[in-house]
């Protein structure tokens, strides 16, 4: 006990002491004295990621052009090899996963390939999506000769935080050719029911695609078993592969052989790529959706970062700790911050890896937190987004974050900061 509270600092410390993943933290560079609660925006550097990057630089220095074949691991098949390492994280076969491009480009590549107005003119999305997804989908609709205002069917939120599965299912009918949704909403942290939505899409003759940016590396997926048609994600959030790291994509094997909308030589069958024929011979795998030469220096850190996931015992173990951390955070907010609301679903089946703490002064509170060395994100209009990454954040960190929030609110410390003006992140 600690004053009127049920949860104490020593409870947090005990939980850290019995956390089987607590040692992973020592492999990360945590900015000095900071509580880094922003691992879902930009994950931190690990010594593993740094070593893999150093190795790629060293092999470039030593081998020059020969690195494509003679580097260890060779650069020519680096994207496919990383796909193979990523496959268990998303529940797919090695051939169904590859790294390529950025997430936004992968949305263009896959929506552009799989959208077919003859299957159904409408694409179902939701009103709380990350904006880039809508920009890319609208652009793809235009390039297919459609009016995006007509063809985009946007499922609205009832409460401004979450999307009801029932409302998604109601939006899927015979006019729908594609459903494209996130796994986890970037603001509230709601986790969607991927299986139910995929089944409903398939029942209506539509394809189901997902953006896993806020779940890959922190939530296990079973894309193949569920039969998801395609998915995209980035590696710089929970997977800690560095700013602008190469992104990932999955294409279900039933779609192998479909000609990619964004064809490029790096998607050619590896066996014939260097025959340099002017007719494109797409790889019979997700590898076909690569476009140009793999950026080795933005792929190498991922190779190291994946060691962390494997040493944790897989993404299931990270998910288990992540849920314990977010449960702990929610309990503390309930207990100590009555003026704040938790905007994230409490049900484990509906929660991603972060927690949205809502307050009318969220913007200025997030500035006050940063001033105290607590790194969080603000998201319009009223969300302080707190992401305790299970790879390097512990229970004491969560406890201290809430203590900082309590002190900021008690002292109205946020009043020292300017109100937000338009155009400021
Ligand atoms: C982070 C994120 C992206 C980022 O896309 P980039 O092309 O890497 O800039 C896209 N979609 C969602 C849902 C995200 O959370």
């Amino acid at each position: 006990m600690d004053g009127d509270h049920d949860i104490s600092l020593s409870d947090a410390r005990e939980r850290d002491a019995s956390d089987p993943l607590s040692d992973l933290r020592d492999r990360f560079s945590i900015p000095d004295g900071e509580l880094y609660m922003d691992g879902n925006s930009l994950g931190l550097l690990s010594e593993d990621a740094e070593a893999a990057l150093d190795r790629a630089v060293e092999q470039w220095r030593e081998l020059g052009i020969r690195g494509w074949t003679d580097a260890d691991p060779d650069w020519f098949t680096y994207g496919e090899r990383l796909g193979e390492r990523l496959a268990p994280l998303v529940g797919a076969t090695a051939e169904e996963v590859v790294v390529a491009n950025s997430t936004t480009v992968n949305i263009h590549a896959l929506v552009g390939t799989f959208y077919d107005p003859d299957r159904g003119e409408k694409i179902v999305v939701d009103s709380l999506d990350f904006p880039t997804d809508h920009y890319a989908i609208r652009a793809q609709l235009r390039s297919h000769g459609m009016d995006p205002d007509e063809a985009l069917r946007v499922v609205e939120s009832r409460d401004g935080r979450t999307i009801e599965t029932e409302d998604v299912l109601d939006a899927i009918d015979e006019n729908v050719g594609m459903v494209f949704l996130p796994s986890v909403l970037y603001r509230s942290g709601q986790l969607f029911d991927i299986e139910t939505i995929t089944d409903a899409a398939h029942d209506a003759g539509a394809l189901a695609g997902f953006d896993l940016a806020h779940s890959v590396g922190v939530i296990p997926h079973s894309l193949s078993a569920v039969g998801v048609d395609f998915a995209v994600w980035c590696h710089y959030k929970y997977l800690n592969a560095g700013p602008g790291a190469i992104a990932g994509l999955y294409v279900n094997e039933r779609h192998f052989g479909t000609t990619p909308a964004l064809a490029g030589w790096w998607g050619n069958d590896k066996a014939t790529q260097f025959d340099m024929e002017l007719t494109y011979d797409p790889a019979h795998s997700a590898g076909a959706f690569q476009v140009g030469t793999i950026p080795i220096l933005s792929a190498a850190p991922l190779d190291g970062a994946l060691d962390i996931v494997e040493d944790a015992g897989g993404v299931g173990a990270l998910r288990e700790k992540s849920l314990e951390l977010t449960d702990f955070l929610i309990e503390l907010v309930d207990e100590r911050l009555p003026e704040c609301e938790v905007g994230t679903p409490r049900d484990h089946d509906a929660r991603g890896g972060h927690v949205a703490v809502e307050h009318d002064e969220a913007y200025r509170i997030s500035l006050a937190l940063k001033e105290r060395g607590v790194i969080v994100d603000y998201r319009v209009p009223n969300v302080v987004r707190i992401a305790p990454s299970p790879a390097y954040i512990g229970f004491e960190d969560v406890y201290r974050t809430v203590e900082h929030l309590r002190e900021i609110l008690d002292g109205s410390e946020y009043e020292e900061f300017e109100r937000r003006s338009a155009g400021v992140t």
Side-chain angles (χ1 to χ4, degrees), residues 102-104 130 132-133 211 213-214 234 236-237:
S102 66
T103 307
T104 308
F130 193 81
T132 203
D133 296 44
D211 183 332
H214 274 278
C234 61
Y236 51 78
K237 293 173 178 165

Side-chain angles (χ1 to χ4, degrees), residues 53-67 71 75 296-297:
L53 177 60
D54 286 349
R55 183 178 179 84
V57 170
E58 198 50 43
Q59 301 211 314
W60 175 24
R61 190 194 321 279
E62 287 170 8
L63 299 171
I65 185 79
R66 285 169 298 155
W75 301 339
I296 291 294
L297 300 185

Side-chain angles (χ1 to χ4, degrees), residues 106-366:
N106 287 338
I107 298 171
H108 280 286
L110 298 185
V111 172
T113 302
F114 294 115
Y115 175 64
D116 176 0
D118 290 342
R119 185 192 289 281
E121 292 187 355
K122 308 279 187 192
I123 300 184
V124 171
V125 295
D126 77 73
S127 65
L128 300 177
D129 281 339
F130 193 81
T132 203
D133 296 44
H134 283 216
Y135 304 164
I137 293 170
R138 283 176 163 270
Q140 286 305 322
L141 285 167
R142 283 193 296 274
S143 76
H144 281 80
M146 307 299 291
D147 173 359
D149 291 332
E150 288 286 316
L152 213 55
R153 185 173 283 175
V154 184
V155 180
E156 296 294 331
S157 169
R158 299 186 196 183
D159 63 358
R161 295 166 169 153
T162 54
I163 301 291
E164 298 289 329
T165 306
E166 188 190 327
D167 295 344
V168 175
L169 302 188
D170 284 348
I172 303 174
D173 60 24
E174 70 283 0
N175 298 316
V176 172
M178 179 180 286
V179 177
F180 188 83
L181 292 170
S183 50
V184 171
L185 285 174
Y186 77 98
R187 199 162 17 199
S188 69
Q190 178 195 358
L191 170 62
F192 281 75
D193 182 343
I194 291 178
E195 183 165 8
T196 300
I197 292 168
T198 301
D199 288 347
H202 289 171
D203 287 347
L207 301 185
F210 289 89
D211 183 332
L212 312 181
H214 274 278
S215 61
V216 73
V218 76
I219 298 176
H221 288 292
S222 328
L223 299 180
S224 299
V226 168
V228 169
D229 293 283
F230 64 94
V232 300
W233 58 85
C234 61
H235 294 124
Y236 51 78
K237 293 173 178 165
Y238 291 104
L239 275 177
N240 311 307
I246 195 164
L249 65 85
Y250 150 91
V251 173
N252 189 286
E253 64 183 10
R254 80 175 80 92
H255 298 299
F256 290 177
T258 309
T259 301
L262 302 190
W265 79 313
W266 218 257
N268 202 92
D269 186 350
K270 284 281 171 239
T272 56
Q273 181 174 342
F274 274 90
D275 294 351
M276 302 305 239
E277 294 291 340
L278 290 180
T279 46
Y280 170 57
D281 177 19
H284 197 74
S285 66
F289 295 89
Q290 299 170 92
V291 183
T293 304
I294 180 172
I296 291 294
L297 300 185
S298 88
L302 175 61
D303 205 19
L306 286 170
D307 292 349
I308 304 263
V309 179
E310 286 166 13
D311 293 349
V315 75
L318 289 163
R319 171 64 167 166
E320 202 173 308
K321 177 172 171 189
S322 166
L323 282 171
E324 287 175 19
L325 285 167
T326 51
D327 276 341
F328 190 60
L329 174 55
I330 290 170
E331 278 171 48
L332 284 163
V333 172
D334 285 344
E335 183 181 89
R336 295 170 185 227
L337 306 174
E339 55 276 81
C340 295
E341 269 196 80
V342 172
T344 304
R346 287 161 189 263
D347 182 357
H348 284 184
D349 292 338
R351 192 196 311 161
H354 71 267
V355 173
V357 176
E358 299 176 354
H359 188 285
D360 286 344
E361 287 289 356
Y363 174 66
R364 295 201 289 173
I365 290 169
S366 70

